[in-house]
Amino acid sequence: MDNVELSDAIADFTGLVGRVEETGERVCLVEGGEPTSVLLAAAELAELEHFAGRVEGGVRPRSGAGQGQPFGPDPQGPYLRYVHADGARMTFVRDRVVVAELRSVAELDWLEGRTRTARQGYMSPKRAAAFEEFLARQGPVGDGVAWIAASWRCQQPFTHLVFLRGPAAEDVALAYGADAQDIADGLMLHQVEERDAREGTDDLTRVLAFGEENGWTWLGYDDFDDAFSRSLDPPAEKQITLSATTAKAIYEFSYFENGVYQNPFPIETGAEDRRDMYELIWYTPGEAPFAAEAPLSFLNLHLRIAEKAGNWTDNIALFFEGLERAFGLALPRDAITSGHVRCARPARR
């Protein structure tokens, strides 16, 4: 990329625009030896804007005050120059076709950074089809989680399932307010169940079951009396929560990354900018539940694969299978159903 002094170019961009149009290469304008702006092909800027627009958040740098160019099209050889309202950005047109754009270095750096982020998740239609076929051949990790969907829907064996990436299971259990002695003793779920049957107690609905599968810590518990705190400091790298309230037919899903809620759908104008859950009854097989620009749009592909696999007909089980495919979630089926998983009661207060 060639450097040209701004003072040499500002009066007449004809030669520079012609070079960009012919070669597609950028030209950097400098002032006092410092890069200030870049002249680039309009097609290249369009591509940057396309991908950068797929990344949410961030404030686009504003161009500083320009040279005070006159209003209206400014002939520059075979081109017309249109100076934007900020006086710094410019658009160059030949025969009613945009051929080049001038943008500040700061704005271009911002666009390129967001474009790199967006491209990491981009696949061409051909690659996406091949990836979809590859995923279709992959089974769940371990037992997966779809197997528990039917009983979870009836609040059995737990009303809440939580999956956390990062912290160890015992650390999470302690942070949630589980009894340290129960954790140290290695209390098992079947022991609590047997004691309930023997002594007429009801501790099974008040314990926190926990374990680790495929790099995730999982928790299972009933949330009838807010016995557990449900908070971590610092938050987990990733956290998925599934909660069932059968009496109200409310089945919720939420996903956080580093404590930041990943809103599952775009916000309409005037609506609240944060929502804390997605209701699974909103999911209809055959329809993409998350808009393309939503943070959770990547789940659409995995849900479609689950639908094509035909392992389940129940909507919630299908959604669970989509989650297990997307995140590699798993729960030990035999261990949970037989009660051979660790658990702890709430810490004594």
Side-chain angles (χ1 to χ4, degrees):
M1 180 168 60
D2 293 336
N3 292 341
V4 176
E5 280 290 337
L6 179 63
S7 58
D8 295 336
I10 197 67
D12 189 355
F13 280 87
T14 303
L16 297 181
V17 175
R19 187 193 311 177
V20 170
E21 183 182 18
E22 181 179 354
T23 67
E25 296 180 358
R26 299 179 180 184
V27 175
C28 180
L29 301 184
V30 299
E31 191 169 12
E34 292 295 324
T36 60
S37 53
V38 176
L39 186 68
L40 71 162
E44 183 181 1
L45 180 63
E47 183 177 2
L48 291 173
E49 291 281 6
H50 171 81
F51 284 102
R54 267 59 182 175
V55 179
E56 294 190 350
V59 179
R60 182 190 291 258
R62 294 184 177 181
S63 301
Q67 301 292 320
Q69 300 298 325
F71 175 74
D74 176 28
Q76 302 257 314
Y79 306 103
L80 288 178
R81 176 176 62 168
Y82 292 89
V83 180
H84 293 220
D86 58 17
R89 293 183 295 167
M90 302 180 189
T91 296
F92 296 87
V93 176
R94 177 209 277 269
D95 297 330
R96 302 184 66 82
V97 176
V98 178
V99 296
E101 299 273 5
L102 185 73
R103 294 293 184 270
S104 71
V105 169
E107 183 176 8
L108 199 57
D109 286 346
W110 183 83
L111 286 170
E112 289 178 327
R114 291 166 66 89
T115 294
R116 282 192 295 271
T117 299
R119 280 186 179 276
Q120 291 174 1
Y122 171 73
M123 287 187 183
S124 67
K126 184 176 180 180
R127 288 184 62 197
F131 183 55
E132 182 172 332
E133 182 179 350
F134 167 77
L135 288 177
R137 295 195 297 267
Q138 309 305 306
V141 176
D143 292 326
V145 294
W147 67 267
I148 205 171
S151 60
W152 170 83
R153 191 170 190 166
C154 298
Q155 301 186 162
Q156 295 294 330
F158 316 109
T159 64
H160 282 62
L161 294 170
V162 182
F163 300 88
L164 305 106
R165 175 77 81 172
E170 288 190 358
D171 294 337
V172 174
L174 287 170
Y176 266 55
D179 184 71
Q181 191 61 54
D182 283 350
I183 294 174
D185 292 343
L187 182 66
M188 303 292 284
L189 195 63
H190 73 87
Q191 293 175 315
V192 177
E193 186 174 15
E194 291 163 1
R195 179 181 175 182
D196 281 352
R198 185 174 60 250
E199 301 181 9
T201 53
D202 190 27
D203 285 345
L204 191 63
T205 60
R206 300 183 64 251
V207 298
L208 176 78
F210 59 91
E212 296 181 11
E213 290 285 324
N214 196 36
W216 290 83
T217 285
W218 65 267
L219 307 174
Y221 61 95
D222 291 322
D223 191 34
F224 296 127
D225 55 5
D226 294 322
F228 298 105
S229 65
R230 298 170 293 174
S231 63
L232 291 175
D233 187 15
E237 177 186 338
K238 296 179 180 180
Q239 178 172 332
I240 296 165
T241 302
L242 298 156
S243 59
T245 307
T246 304
K248 297 181 179 180
I250 297 176
Y251 307 98
E252 300 174 353
F253 157 71
S254 64
Y255 175 54
F256 288 76
E257 289 187 356
N258 297 310
V260 178
Y261 177 64
Q262 303 300 298
N263 201 304
F265 44 84
I267 296 300
E268 297 177 358
T269 303
E272 295 180 4
D273 61 354
R274 309 295 286 181
R275 301 186 186 181
D276 60 0
M277 58 79 189
Y278 172 84
E279 289 198 36
L280 298 191
I281 60 171
W282 297 340
Y283 165 57
T284 300
E287 299 179 6
F290 306 116
E293 62 270 32
L296 287 177
S297 61
F298 69 91
L299 280 179
N300 292 338
L301 173 61
H302 298 279
L303 289 168
R304 186 164 67 249
I305 296 299
E307 294 164 6
K308 288 185 176 181
N311 297 322
W312 308 91
T313 56
D314 176 73
N315 290 11
I316 290 181
L318 281 173
F319 196 92
F320 274 39
E321 183 179 347
L323 293 179
E324 72 186 30
R325 288 176 177 274
F327 295 103
L329 302 182
L331 289 169
R333 185 170 190 168
D334 290 343
I336 289 178
T337 54
S338 66
H340 285 79
V341 291
R342 297 181 64 189
C343 68
R345 291 163 291 191
R348 293 157 180 79
R349 299 173 182 174

